[in-house]
């Protein structure tokens, strides 16, 4: 039976999300894309189009579509399943279903704190020792630490390492990790298979920058405090099936355990901040489906979905082109990154514009030595979110920023001069209107740097530029809040 939702199977695991998105966007407006839990070597995604007609066209055009040596297999998903909540995102090294996470399908029992599991990679040769005879070792471990431990044995047949997911309190996760390290070290000593067993933690790429810290300071401090050596797998290892990076900690079992506590503290903090930001974005743009945006090329959902985020995003459908006016944002990128944004024969920028539903143009360089180029993005709030998010993600993916720092870009938006505050009167007395008065509050709220130049001469439209500098979510929240304030000021002016 025809519906708006289709399933695409046999997607090559190394296919980048942006390529898939560009392909899907050719046949209509994509409302949602979910990666499905599967034990197959190829990826499976569920795609929801805006209309049944678009889904029909997509099925006709994509059935049998060849990508390298892979041929897509496509089928409809019946309508009654369309409204069901999406499964959690799956990573190549092992996702977890709602059953594994220990949450109820209806989501009625809300946990007091966010479930942020510890994900480890362990050598396959030690899995048997961790489980123990008749499962006694793992049973004892879970009982002592009051944790739930999933060993993903079936994943990656023949692989040298297997993922383990530990659900517990932060203290429970650390205790379970310490016990697993002890078991592996004891087994290694007895079998003389290895001298020192490193701790390997898996973390979603979107959180790793904040673990590393500016110029690597966070990581260096953890190394110094715990007497360990910590390395992180390169961005090049990320694929459609693997949004996680491997954090390898070398040192004694005691030192590795102490490092785990500090590493997870940083990752958990970053995750909790992002969940707050996700909920803010969902509230700022009604009906915005964050899981469908695919803002980073390493995965369609930046974060595992939470009941709060999903609930907030499930409001009335958002229709960007029903708005009376489109927004214009000027985003500044490094000059050397222009080629990556445009792509071969302009393919990447065309795909990005189609995906976001925005107009994207790159302004000429201001001079031969200009270090930055201006990207002019015109579109609805949702289109801005998609387009800017993809640009942030692309710059990180292509290593235009130091791997040890987060991508922070400068964005300019224009606001009416009467809303921004300006220098008037004798002696340059400042009269601060709504926005100017709220800049400090805005910076505290969003963690973005917001600059309202006080000596600007308004342009022909009586507008001045507001500068916003920050990482993606901070910049987006600031942009939305500023637009909100401007609307309030306009309404007051009209009254």
């Amino acid at each position: 039976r025809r519906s708006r939702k289709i399933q695409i199977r046999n997607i090559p695991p190394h296919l980048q999300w942006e390529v898939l998105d560009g392909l899907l966007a050719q046949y209509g407006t994509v409302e949602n894309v979910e990666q499905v839990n599967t034990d197959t070597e190829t990826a499976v995604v569920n795609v929801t189009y805006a209309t049944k007609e678009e889904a029909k066209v997509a099925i006709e055009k994509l059935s049998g579509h060849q990508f390298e040596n892979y041929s897509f297999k496509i089928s409809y998903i019946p309508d009654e399943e369309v409204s069901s909540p999406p499964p959690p995102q799956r990573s190549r090294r092992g996702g977890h279903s709602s059953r594994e996470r220990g949450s109820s399908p209806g989501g009625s029992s809300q946990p007091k704190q966010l479930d942020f599991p510890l994900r480890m990679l362990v050598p396959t040769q030690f899995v048997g020792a961790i489980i123990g005879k008749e499962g006694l070792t793992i049973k004892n471990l879970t009982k002592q630490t009051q944790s739930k431990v999933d060993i993903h044995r079936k994943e990656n047949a023949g692989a040298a390492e297997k993922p383990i997911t530990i659900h517990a309190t932060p203290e429970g996760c650390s205790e379970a990790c310490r016990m697993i390290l002890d078991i592996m070290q004891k087994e290694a000593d007895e079998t003389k298979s290895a001298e020192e067993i490193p701790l390997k933690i898996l973390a979603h790429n979107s959180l790793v920058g904040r673990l590393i810290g500016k110029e690597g300071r966070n990581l260096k401090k953890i190394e110094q405090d715990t007497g360990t050596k910590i390395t992180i797998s390169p961005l090049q290892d990320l694929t459609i099936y693997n949004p996680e990076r491997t954090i390898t900690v070398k040192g004694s079992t005691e030192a590795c355990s102490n490092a785990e506590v500090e590493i997870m503290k940083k990752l958990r903090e970053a995750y909790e901040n992002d969940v707050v930001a996700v909920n803010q974005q969902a509230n700022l743009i009604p009906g915005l489906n964050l899981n469908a945006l695919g803002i980073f090329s390493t995965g369609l959902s930046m974060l595992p979905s939470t009941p709060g985020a999903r609930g907030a995003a499930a409001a009335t459908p958002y229709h960007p082109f029903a708005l009376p006016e489109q927004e214009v944002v000027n985003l500044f990128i490094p000059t050397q990154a222009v080629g990556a944004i445009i792509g071969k024969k302009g393919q990447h920028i065309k795909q990005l514009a189609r995906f976001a539903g925005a107009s994207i143009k790159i302004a000429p360089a201001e001079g031969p030595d200009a270090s930055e180029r201006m990207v002019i993005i015109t579109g609805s709030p949702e289109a801005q979110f998609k387009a800017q998010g993809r640009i942030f993600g692309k710059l990180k993916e292509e290593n235009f920023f130091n791997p040890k720092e987060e991508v922070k870009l400068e964005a300019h938006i224009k606001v009416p001069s009467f809303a921004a505050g300006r220098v008037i009167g004798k002696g340059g007395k400042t009269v601060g209107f709504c926005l100017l008065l709220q800049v400090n509050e805005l910076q505290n709220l969003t963690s973005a740097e917001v600059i309202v130049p006080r000596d600007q001469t308004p342009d022909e439209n009586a507008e001045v530029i507001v500068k916003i500098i920050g990482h993606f979510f901070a910049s987006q929240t600031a942009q939305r809040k500023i637009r909100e304030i401007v609307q309030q000021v306009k309404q007051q002016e009209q009254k």
Side-chain angles (χ1 to χ4, degrees):
R1 284 177 300 167
R2 279 175 55 188
S3 75
R4 296 186 300 118
K5 194 167 184 178
I6 64 174
Q7 184 171 90
I8 306 176
R9 299 178 301 286
N10 206 38
I11 301 169
H14 55 275
L15 177 64
Q16 292 292 338
W17 280 115
E18 61 191 26
V19 177
L20 181 62
D21 287 337
L23 196 60
L24 298 174
Q26 290 178 30
Y27 307 113
T29 303
V30 177
E31 287 191 349
N32 196 22
V33 183
E34 308 151 6
Q35 190 166 342
V36 180
N37 276 350
T38 174
D39 285 327
T40 59
E41 286 302 311
T42 52
V44 178
V45 297
N46 291 346
V47 183
T48 306
Y49 279 96
T51 66
K52 290 182 179 181
E53 195 53 42
E54 289 172 343
K56 179 173 180 278
V57 172
I59 277 203
E60 289 170 355
K61 300 287 186 184
L62 290 172
S63 286
H65 177 85
Q66 290 282 334
F67 188 88
E68 295 178 1
N69 295 325
Y70 295 82
S71 180
F72 290 174
K73 294 173 183 174
I74 307 184
S75 59
Y76 279 116
I77 297 173
D79 268 336
E80 58 266 24
E81 292 180 28
V82 174
S83 59
S84 63
Q89 178 180 322
R90 179 200 191 288
S91 76
R92 178 175 61 84
R93 288 179 174 138
H96 15 274
S97 67
S98 58
R99 177 184 58 78
E100 287 174 315
R101 289 174 75 98
S103 60
S104 62
S108 55
S109 57
Q110 186 77 6
K112 285 182 181 176
Q113 63 179 33
L114 290 168
D115 175 28
F116 187 75
L118 167 63
R119 302 255 299 140
M120 297 173 65
L121 268 185
V122 301
T124 302
Q125 72 215 58
F126 297 135
V127 168
I130 294 166
I131 294 169
K133 193 174 181 182
E134 296 177 350
L136 286 177
T137 306
I138 197 79
K139 280 178 191 171
N140 180 47
L141 186 151
T142 55
K143 191 175 179 181
Q144 278 191 44
T145 62
Q146 293 187 307
S147 64
K148 184 172 190 328
V149 181
D150 294 318
I151 301 176
H152 307 282
R153 281 176 291 174
K154 293 180 183 176
E155 307 234 356
N156 304 345
E161 295 172 311
K162 298 288 182 186
I164 291 180
T165 305
I166 303 166
H167 295 273
T169 62
E171 298 75 22
C173 285
S174 295
E175 199 180 336
C177 172
R178 187 183 293 262
M179 289 177 75
I180 288 170
L181 286 173
D182 282 339
I183 292 165
M184 291 196 295
Q185 192 60 60
K186 186 182 175 190
E187 183 72 8
D189 292 342
E190 287 176 1
T191 59
K192 296 183 172 54
S193 54
E195 288 182 13
E196 196 176 76
I197 307 298
L199 165 65
K200 292 190 177 183
I201 296 172
L202 295 172
H204 196 288
N205 181 50
S206 64
L207 308 174
V208 169
R210 281 160 288 177
L211 164 66
I212 295 168
K214 194 172 184 181
E215 295 172 352
R217 286 175 198 159
N218 290 348
L219 222 49
K220 284 174 192 166
K221 187 174 188 312
I222 295 172
E223 285 181 323
Q224 286 166 2
D225 291 350
T226 60
T228 55
K229 175 69 180 162
I230 304 171
T231 54
I232 296 178
S233 62
L235 285 161
Q236 287 81 352
D237 288 359
L238 300 171
T239 67
I240 193 171
Y241 243 17
N242 177 27
E244 293 175 303
R245 292 171 75 180
T246 305
I247 302 155
T248 303
V249 185
K250 291 185 177 177
S252 66
T253 300
E254 182 70 20
C256 286
S257 297
N258 293 337
E260 179 275 334
V261 173
E262 298 306 315
I263 289 167
M264 286 300 287
K265 196 183 290 178
K266 288 288 180 195
L267 293 174
R268 200 174 284 112
E269 188 181 282
Y271 174 74
E272 285 170 358
N273 288 341
D274 281 353
V275 168
V276 170
V278 162
N279 286 322
Q280 281 180 348
Q281 297 298 334
N283 293 328
L284 290 167
I285 308 178
L288 176 64
N289 189 335
L290 290 151
N291 285 333
L293 292 180
I295 56 173
F296 297 104
S297 60
T298 53
L300 286 173
S301 174
M302 217 186 91
L303 301 159
S305 53
T306 65
R310 198 160 54 225
T316 52
Y318 183 70
H319 300 292
F321 299 107
L323 291 174
E325 56 185 338
Q326 302 279 281
E327 298 176 353
V328 179
V329 178
N330 295 337
L331 195 64
F332 292 82
I333 64 170
T335 299
Q336 66 267 33
V338 170
I341 298 299
I342 294 173
K344 195 175 180 182
K345 296 181 180 177
Q347 280 301 99
H348 185 262
I349 201 165
K350 285 176 192 169
Q351 281 182 356
L352 178 55
R354 269 200 306 265
F355 164 75
S359 161
I360 303 170
K361 294 174 182 173
I362 297 180
E366 290 189 355
D369 301 321
S371 62
E372 289 184 317
R373 290 281 289 277
M374 185 167 75
V375 182
I376 305 158
I377 306 166
T378 308
S380 67
E382 188 171 18
Q384 293 290 352
F385 192 98
K386 289 182 177 182
Q388 292 177 52
R390 270 300 171 83
I391 290 169
F392 273 78
K394 186 70 174 172
L395 295 182
K396 184 69 173 178
E397 177 200 338
E398 297 284 348
N399 295 323
F400 287 109
F401 281 73
N402 185 318
K404 295 185 177 180
E405 64 180 336
E406 280 197 89
V407 177
K408 284 190 177 180
L409 298 180
E410 184 171 326
H412 290 184
I413 63 175
K414 286 188 175 182
V415 302
S417 56
F418 62 77
R422 51 198 168 89
V423 178
I424 58 169
K426 284 183 181 179
K429 183 183 175 185
T430 300
V431 177
F433 288 83
C434 291
L435 183 56
L436 198 55
L437 290 170
Q438 295 186 53
V439 164
N440 287 339
E441 186 187 334
L442 205 57
Q443 292 187 152
N444 292 336
L445 171 73
T446 65
S447 76
E449 186 180 355
V450 181
I451 304 163
V452 186
R454 300 182 183 203
D455 54 354
Q456 271 189 79
T457 304
D459 64 13
E460 67 276 10
N461 297 318
E463 291 183 320
V464 291
I465 290 169
V466 176
K467 298 178 182 178
I468 301 157
I469 303 163
H471 62 77
F472 175 67
F473 271 124
S475 179
Q476 284 300 305
T477 305
Q479 287 176 44
R480 298 269 62 81
K481 283 292 182 188
I482 290 168
R483 305 274 190 200
E484 201 176 278
I485 293 164
V486 169
Q487 280 303 111
Q488 290 167 3
V489 177
K490 279 182 177 177
Q491 286 167 7
Q492 288 165 7
E493 285 286 308
Q494 285 165 2
K495 286 177 185 176

